[in-house]
Amino acid sequence: MASRGWVLAFRSVPGVWRRVAHTAAGLRGPCLRRGYAIGPAQSPPTFGFLLDIDGVLVRGHRVIPAALEAFHRLLNSQGQLRVPVVFVTNAGNILQDGKAQELSSLFGFKVDPDQVILSHSPMKLFSQFHSKRMLVSGQGPLVENAQVLGFQNVVTMDELRTAFPVLDMVDLERRPKTTPILRNDFPAIEGVLLLGEPVRWETSLQLIMDVLLSNGNPGTGLATAPYPHLPVLASNTDLLWMAEAKMPRFGHGTFLLCLETIYQKVTGKELRYEGLMGKPSILTYQYAEDLIRLQVERRGWVAPIQKLYAVGDNPMSDVYGANMFHQYLQMAKREGTAELGAGGLKKQRPSATQSCTSILVCTGVYSPKDPEPMEPAQRGEEPPFHGHRDFNFSPGLMEASHIVNDVNEAVQLVFRKEGWAL
Ligand SMILES: [Mg+2]
């Protein structure tokens, strides 16, 4: 059900960030001490990093200088990482290989595609749908992305509207000029993949609804909408994101909100997801843990990774996600089982990981220098919750374990905590 409360992650509510900053600063100030004692190098590593990309390593196409310093610390003399690192981004309209190549050229060392998690990467785990005929929504290299994820039989929105020209009727210019022949040889669609925000929202919203209401046969009409409806997998629930504009831009979370609202209004029932992925979903962190484990095996490190440090710039996705995963780890350890909320695999996963620590940096979305907030609470109003409907709001999950200026300070903080040489 929809969650309420006050949140979270964007410049439109700077006061909330500031409040979080003040809270977390009680644990450790925003600027770290330099020149602390250097301990002996420890090998093999028992900790790893989950690094966000935008706002932590880069801003647009520009490298954040602190990231270069951070990698200088993280690489050994052979140019290899001294500890396992996974890059976790909520971007999705690109290819994993392309992102790895981009990072490699920006930072001057080899980043393997298996070190990069896009918002939809955990869809690789949903093999039960990989042979199904799936309608795919988004933009960029959509079909290629779906295939990389394992989906062998995908239908694009354009293919669907070409097969059924009478469905897409909002844009007068795109309506058929003549009465098309209705076809009945189009194989039924068996599920929906929502990889990222599409370009023509009215077309995608209409056709996805048509597929759900017709049980995958949009050329027909059903008297009653089937429920539960066809499986829907979605990635990236970010409501808004920051680009060059002063105000935030619509993210894929806004598109999902539209779809959920339309479905609820039309059918009286709730749109359900088989999986929601991308930060802050637990699935994404479980997947990151798998990739950390893979790196450890490839490097021949024998010690299991016990601690993860998640560095990000967005309190809603990076801090909330890391803290929720930490909670999950504690619960799994305590109860031996993991009953997760939306987006969870709901299965027990043996894991050596004991903790996931959130570290918030000030080089992206979050800034401690934001002007004094317009505190909605002070005006007697309830601030808006920007998280997804299926993620329950918990104010404690917004509080970072540490706030530092940049990713270089984050690496220094972790190395010091772990007794590693800087
Ligand atoms: Mg970011």
Side-chain angles (χ1 to χ4, degrees):
M1 292 301 293
S3 303
R4 297 181 311 279
W6 38 288
V7 180
L8 322 176
F10 308 102
R11 289 192 190 280
S12 58
V13 284
V16 174
W17 299 346
R18 192 175 181 87
R19 205 188 63 81
V20 171
H22 287 168
T23 305
L27 298 175
R28 186 174 298 280
C31 297
L32 296 176
R33 278 189 303 117
R34 293 180 186 274
Y36 39 72
I38 297 174
Q42 177 183 330
S43 185
T46 57
F47 63 98
F49 284 97
L50 311 183
L51 298 182
D52 181 32
I53 297 176
D54 293 308
V56 174
L57 306 179
V58 297
R59 281 290 292 266
H61 298 294
R62 184 176 61 82
V63 169
I64 295 171
L68 293 170
E69 295 178 56
F71 286 118
H72 186 69
R73 295 182 192 283
L74 286 167
L75 295 170
N76 63 20
S77 55
Q78 286 84 47
Q80 292 179 308
L81 287 164
R82 299 165 65 196
V83 297
V85 173
V86 168
F87 301 92
V88 189
T89 176
N90 264 359
N93 294 324
I94 47 170
L95 289 170
Q96 200 168 338
D97 285 19
K99 200 63 179 173
Q101 284 174 15
E102 184 185 320
L103 291 170
S104 299
S105 62
L106 286 175
F107 295 106
F109 69 98
K110 176 82 174 72
V111 175
D112 193 273
D114 282 339
Q115 287 178 275
V116 176
I117 300 181
L118 304 176
S119 62
H120 44 64
S121 296
M123 286 188 189
K124 287 178 184 171
L125 302 172
F126 288 79
S127 55
Q128 68 270 39
F129 300 114
H130 287 174
S131 60
K132 305 276 188 197
R133 186 167 160 82
M134 306 293 279
L135 175 66
V136 60
S137 166
Q139 59 179 294
L142 259 189
V143 172
E144 208 174 344
N145 253 329
Q147 288 169 345
V148 168
L149 293 168
F151 297 94
Q152 301 140 27
N153 190 0
V154 296
V155 180
T156 65
M157 216 58 74
D158 275 344
E159 287 170 340
L160 191 63
R161 67 179 293 279
T162 301
F164 302 100
V166 297
L167 299 181
D168 186 15
M169 301 296 279
V170 172
D171 186 344
L172 297 179
E173 295 297 320
R174 279 160 56 103
R175 287 187 184 180
K177 306 300 181 216
T178 57
T179 304
I181 299 169
L182 298 180
R183 57 187 290 182
N184 57 10
D185 60 342
F186 196 81
I189 290 169
E190 300 171 288
V192 179
L193 290 180
L194 306 173
L195 298 189
E197 57 270 30
V199 176
R200 286 181 165 269
W201 285 29
E202 83 283 3
T203 299
S204 293
L205 289 167
Q206 176 72 75
L207 269 59
I208 292 167
M209 282 296 294
D210 288 335
V211 165
L212 295 177
L213 297 180
S214 67
N215 210 29
N217 297 284
T220 66
L222 292 180
T224 309
Y227 199 82
H229 54 68
L230 292 175
V232 178
L233 295 172
S235 68
N236 186 1
T237 59
D238 289 350
L239 188 75
L240 302 168
W241 65 286
M242 286 302 294
E244 284 79 11
K246 298 291 184 192
M247 290 194 293
R249 304 296 85 200
F250 292 158
H252 194 217
T254 305
F255 179 80
L256 299 179
L257 177 65
C258 293
L259 183 63
E260 291 157 13
T261 306
I262 294 168
Y263 189 88
Q264 175 87 43
K265 192 74 175 175
V266 169
T267 67
K269 298 185 175 74
E270 191 173 69
L271 184 77
R272 308 291 302 188
Y273 296 97
E274 288 292 324
L276 273 178
M277 45 224 96
K279 294 175 288 188
S281 101
I282 293 278
L283 266 177
T284 293
Y285 290 84
Q286 287 180 319
Y287 191 73
E289 194 186 14
D290 287 344
L291 294 193
I292 288 274
R293 202 175 293 130
L294 182 67
Q295 275 181 59
V296 168
E297 288 169 10
R298 284 181 179 170
R299 293 291 297 274
W301 289 322
V302 291
I305 299 302
Q306 297 173 345
K307 298 177 190 173
L308 294 176
Y309 293 93
V311 184
D313 69 311
N314 189 325
M316 176 58 222
S317 52
D318 298 308
V319 174
Y320 186 102
N323 288 346
M324 191 161 64
F325 187 55
H326 180 75
Q327 265 189 2
Y328 158 76
L329 291 171
Q330 306 310 304
M331 184 176 67
K333 200 187 325 171
R334 199 170 51 242
E335 301 173 10
T337 184
E339 182 65 26
L340 305 178
L345 282 179
K346 298 186 178 179
K347 70 176 185 181
Q348 189 173 355
R349 297 166 56 87
S351 168
T353 312
Q354 295 174 356
S355 64
C356 182
T357 302
S358 54
I359 304 176
L360 184 61
V361 297
C362 307
T363 47
V365 167
Y366 171 79
S367 170
K369 300 184 187 70
D370 280 328
E372 200 54 40
M374 296 184 299
E375 279 283 6
Q378 292 174 359
R379 302 195 303 265
E381 299 171 11
E382 190 178 67
F385 174 61
H386 287 174
H388 187 266
R389 177 198 72 186
D390 292 356
F391 295 122
N392 291 323
F393 175 60
S394 173
L397 294 178
M398 295 297 299
E399 297 183 11
S401 298
H402 305 278
I403 300 177
V404 296
N405 283 322
D406 53 47
V407 64
N408 184 39
E409 290 193 359
V411 170
Q412 291 179 71
L413 166 71
V414 173
F415 276 17
R416 186 180 65 163
K417 281 168 67 77
E418 297 295 333
W420 272 50
L422 291 172

